[in-house]
Amino acid sequence: MCVSLTASRRAQWAEYRRQRVYSDSAPGATNGVSGRTIHPTPGVYGVAMSLNVELIKDKILSENYFVLRNITYDLTRKDGEIVRHKREVYDRGNGAAVLLYNREKKSVVLIRQFRVATWVNGNPDGMLIEACAGLLDDDEPEVCIRKEAIEETGYRVNAAEKVFELYTSPGGVTELIHLFIAEYDDASRANAGGGVEDEEIEVLEMPFDEALEKVKQGEIRDAKTVLLLQHLQLRGIMN
């Protein structure tokens, strides 16, 4: 399900920006104020800045849907040299995904939907085969995947196992995604799935071996889905 940045996430940003401490000792114009360096308060926004990183500027470029920030910081190398970096960071919130599998049928449940970002980057029809996923939207990760599973696939999730959490694109996106696997059966089908509101989602139940072959042939190109399928294979769960 697609959601905008949540109220609590926005509150985190407001608190982060409010608690920043300014120093008049730094040269140059930073964050629109001449001669000030921004030092984030340790622990604000869930992280403590490393001692060898000094935040110089943190400017919000867009809050239209999610938050795009322009960040300038000084990084001190091990040899003492200071290097200035300028980066744009996109905060779209954290997410969770679940791969539904059936040992007896040796099958998995995936979805297919249009992803505009892939469409503008070489995916001709924009359609992507994926594991069920969504943004947390103030929920705990396991609560999120239960909601998303029934909305997108129509299956209720009973026992879910969290297998790992990963940063999706740490060069410029803040998202941390929590990845789960969960067994399903025909009795756990509550509805036809297909998503909610403006979503158009096709539910795909396919043999596990077929899904692996689609990865090999480049038909499944979504990173979280490939990781979860390979996790099932490495653990021998579907043997």
Side-chain angles (χ1 to χ4, degrees):
M1 185 172 82
C2 294
V3 296
S4 60
L5 201 68
T6 64
S8 67
R9 193 71 164 173
R10 292 184 185 278
Q12 281 183 312
W13 275 118
E15 181 68 4
Y16 169 79
R17 295 175 68 81
R18 185 183 70 80
Q19 292 194 31
R20 288 180 305 183
V21 180
Y22 293 86
S23 168
D24 292 321
S25 62
T30 58
N31 205 36
V33 181
S34 179
R36 290 188 174 182
T37 299
I38 302 170
H39 301 280
T41 303
V44 174
Y45 191 51
V47 295
M49 192 68 83
S50 173
L51 293 177
N52 67 342
V53 178
E54 184 175 35
L55 183 61
I56 303 302
K57 181 178 74 172
D58 178 6
K59 180 181 180 181
I60 291 181
L61 301 177
S62 172
E63 288 184 281
N64 185 45
Y65 196 62
F66 300 123
V67 177
L68 178 63
R69 302 159 60 211
N70 179 270
I71 295 178
T72 302
Y73 60 94
D74 285 345
L75 179 67
T76 303
R77 293 176 170 170
K78 291 181 179 179
D79 62 4
E81 180 186 4
I82 297 176
V83 181
R84 178 154 295 185
H85 290 179
K86 297 180 180 180
R87 300 289 186 267
E88 290 186 0
V89 176
Y90 192 53
D91 186 344
R92 60 185 306 276
N94 295 328
V98 60
L99 177 60
L100 303 178
Y101 68 95
N102 184 300
R103 296 175 198 259
E104 291 186 6
K105 297 166 66 174
K106 298 190 183 303
S107 60
V108 293
V109 172
L110 301 171
I111 60 170
R112 177 160 43 209
Q113 62 181 322
F114 178 78
R115 292 297 201 183
V116 65
T118 74
W119 182 58
V120 300
N121 191 29
N123 185 9
D125 62 4
M127 301 301 288
L128 208 65
I129 298 175
E130 306 175 54
C132 169
L135 296 181
L136 298 187
D137 194 21
D138 291 333
D139 287 327
E140 292 297 318
E142 190 167 333
V143 173
C144 174
I145 57 111
R146 292 179 188 279
K147 286 184 179 180
E148 296 295 334
I150 202 162
E151 290 175 358
E152 295 185 354
T153 71
Y155 285 92
R156 288 186 297 267
V157 171
N158 296 314
E161 178 188 349
K162 184 175 180 179
V163 291
F164 30 66
E165 55 186 58
L166 302 170
Y167 289 102
T168 56
S169 186
V173 180
T174 63
E175 183 182 29
L176 180 69
I177 189 165
H178 305 261
L179 299 176
F180 293 80
I181 57 175
E183 255 187 296
Y184 78 95
D185 55 30
D186 293 337
S188 60
R189 190 76 183 267
N191 58 61
V196 296
E197 299 172 353
D198 62 346
E199 295 178 318
E200 181 67 26
I201 292 174
E202 180 184 0
V203 182
L204 305 173
E205 184 179 24
M206 68 179 68
F208 178 61
D209 288 343
E210 180 182 338
L212 292 178
E213 183 62 25
K214 286 184 180 296
V215 172
K216 183 178 179 180
Q217 297 300 323
E219 297 178 52
I220 294 180
R221 303 171 66 188
D222 175 63
K224 65 181 179 295
T225 306
V226 173
L227 286 167
L228 286 168
L229 288 168
Q230 290 181 339
H231 180 80
L232 284 186
Q233 184 182 34
L234 288 170
R235 284 180 54 183
I237 290 175
M238 302 297 277
N239 293 343

